[in-house]
């Protein structure tokens, strides 16, 4: 439908372009390529559609996510109704979500300085794995990871307990840097 391309823009470069992360000269080269290449232009459109889809899923509360502080600030600026629960390592919190809430944010305090990668593991009360998020975004200086569970699913849940563990992933292996327990009751 869109022909082919003898020298397609590498996917990583495409992503970098979409997030406006390329250096000015690289960005200009990519733009010149798009002008003459329907194939790569279509690939960029597909990437944009994927991004929109992920964002829509997130805003509909369909996916679990760890978000950045700027993203949280954007959610607030846009008037989303949020509940925030700060929890210290080893701590627990009683939490809820009401029908009119858009999202809940677990502010997981943790010693993050010097870490390159953090994973998050979520289990139920019996330590059965519910889901895992790898290489989550975090600001080492902020000392917290912002966990935003899928709001739509959470609104359907009865009273239950969820256990969250943060893992530092290093050359030597993984080590737990914080455990957090959420005692959830329906709103
Ligand atoms: Zn091309």
């Amino acid at each position: 439908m869109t022909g082919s391309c003898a020298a397609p823009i590498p996917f990583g470069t495409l992503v970098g372009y979409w997030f406006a992360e390329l250096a000015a000269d690289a960005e200009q080269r990519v733009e010149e390529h798009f002008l003459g290449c329907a194939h790569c232009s279509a690939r960029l459109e597909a990437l944009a559609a994927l991004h929109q889809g992920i964002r829509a899923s997130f805003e509909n509360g369909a996916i679990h996510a760890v978000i950045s502080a700027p993203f949280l600030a954007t959610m607030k600026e846009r008037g989303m109704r949020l509940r925030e629960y700060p929890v210290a390592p080893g701590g627990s919190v009683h939490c809820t979500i009401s029908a009119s809430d858009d999202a809940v944010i677990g502010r997981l305090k943790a010693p993050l300085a010097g870490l390159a990668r953090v994973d998050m593991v979520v289990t139920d009360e019996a330590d059965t794995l519910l889901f895992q998020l790898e290489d989550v975004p975090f600001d080492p200086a902020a000392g917290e990871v912002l966990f935003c569970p899928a709001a739509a699913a959470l609104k359907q849940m009865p009273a239950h307990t969820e256990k969250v563990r943060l893992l530092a992933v290093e050359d030597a292996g993984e080590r737990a840097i914080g455990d957090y327990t959420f005692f959830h009751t329906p709103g």
Side-chain angles (χ1 to χ4, degrees):
M1 54 167 186
T2 52
S4 60
C5 173
I9 296 168
F11 185 71
T13 305
L14 213 54
V15 172
Y17 176 79
W18 176 249
F19 286 101
E21 289 170 350
L22 298 184
D25 56 337
E27 184 176 271
Q28 192 183 345
R29 278 198 301 277
V30 167
E31 276 174 353
E32 282 166 5
H33 185 110
F34 285 139
L35 288 175
C37 180
H39 176 75
C40 288
S41 297
R43 290 171 62 223
L44 181 67
E45 281 171 27
L47 183 65
L50 175 67
H51 183 234
Q52 289 297 114
I54 291 170
R55 194 163 71 182
S57 298
F58 178 79
E59 288 181 352
N60 292 334
I63 55 174
H64 300 292
V66 169
I67 61 176
S68 65
F71 194 93
L72 176 59
T74 301
M75 291 168 81
K76 290 178 179 175
E77 278 165 19
R78 292 167 73 178
M80 290 179 75
R81 286 153 298 185
L82 309 175
R83 282 176 200 269
E84 297 178 58
Y85 294 103
V87 200
S92 62
V93 69
H94 290 267
C95 57
T96 190
I97 187 169
S98 72
S100 62
D101 291 332
D102 293 311
V104 293
I105 313 288
R107 306 185 74 121
L108 312 176
K109 309 293 178 182
L112 299 169
L115 299 184
R117 174 178 153 178
V118 172
D119 289 2
M120 193 179 80
V121 177
V122 180
T123 60
D124 68 9
E125 207 167 1
D127 292 328
T128 304
L129 180 66
L130 298 175
F131 61 91
Q132 180 165 2
L133 299 175
E134 295 182 348
D135 202 5
V136 302
F138 66 92
D139 174 0
E144 64 178 1
V145 168
L146 303 174
F147 171 40
C148 183
L154 196 55
K155 287 177 184 177
Q156 306 301 319
M157 296 286 277
H160 71 286
T161 299
E162 267 186 34
K163 302 199 304 194
V164 178
R165 170 170 285 181
L166 292 179
L167 296 163
V169 183
E170 299 166 317
D171 291 341
E174 294 180 346
R175 74 186 156 87
I177 53 171
D179 285 289
Y180 315 84
T181 305
F182 291 86
F183 299 111
H184 181 84
T185 47

